[in-house]
Amino acid sequence: MATVESRAKVLGHAMHPMLIVVPLGMFVGAVVFDGVFYFGGREPQWAVVAYWMIVTGLIGGVVAAVPGWIDWFAIPSGTRAKRIGLVHGLGNGIGVLGLFGASWYFRRPDVPNPPDLALLLSLIGFLLGGVTAWLGGELIERLGVGVDPGAHPNAPNSLSGRSAGPLA
């Protein structure tokens, strides 16, 4: 089985999958708090929480994108993985971050009382994020991107400095 090992690692593990949990969690949380705001009487504190979750998610998304692009450049050209990786990266970098960025922008004038457009943009960003997250899973689980060569259930600890190597 051929794999494409991550180029951006820390302590032997790919950085991108570790870093995406922050923007993913923040954006999901923002949509949840937008829902509480919208359907729960438009209490301003929920909109403020959603606003700051979006800010945190945007910063985290930019940080997570850097090792993602580093890893994308290591994928061989002309492969399905390269194409899926491009759609995944652009879908997140332009689509999801763009939609949440626009939502943030439209909330700025009156954070406790965001316009419905801002809430809709976040919801669309969340839905698109579900698609791009699935593509990220496809890259790892189906296409072997970011997987150590020779990975197997009894591979040595990544901190050992030893290769995952072939099955013993």
Side-chain angles (χ1 to χ4, degrees):
M1 169 175 69
T3 59
V4 179
E5 189 173 1
S6 175
R7 301 280 194 239
K9 291 183 170 188
V10 63
L11 298 175
H13 291 283
M15 292 174 64
H16 181 68
M18 288 190 279
L19 294 173
I20 60 95
V21 297
V22 171
L24 179 63
M26 292 295 116
F27 292 152
V28 169
V31 170
V32 168
F33 283 110
D34 279 348
V36 172
F37 169 78
Y38 188 80
F39 295 109
R42 294 193 175 255
E43 295 291 328
Q45 69 269 19
W46 306 122
V48 172
V49 170
Y51 174 86
W52 287 108
M53 292 184 97
I54 289 171
V55 170
T56 306
L58 290 170
I59 294 166
V62 170
V63 170
V66 174
W69 281 113
I70 291 169
D71 287 348
W72 181 78
F73 284 110
I75 301 172
S77 296
T79 62
R80 180 168 176 261
K82 190 77 162 188
R83 291 188 304 274
I84 296 292
L86 182 62
V87 174
H88 169 75
L90 292 176
N92 281 316
I94 294 173
V96 174
L97 291 180
L99 287 161
F100 276 98
S103 177
W104 166 80
Y105 178 81
F106 287 119
R107 292 166 190 260
R108 289 179 54 235
D110 190 7
V111 173
N113 299 295
D116 290 347
L117 174 61
L119 306 177
L120 180 62
L121 290 168
S122 291
L123 179 60
I124 295 168
F126 166 77
L127 295 173
L128 177 59
V131 173
T132 58
W134 183 88
L135 291 172
E138 183 80 351
L139 284 166
I140 294 169
E141 296 180 21
R142 188 73 174 181
L143 301 171
V145 173
V147 177
D148 287 352
H152 61 89
N154 286 315
N157 185 301
S158 58
L159 296 176
S160 71
R162 298 180 359 231
S163 168
L167 288 171

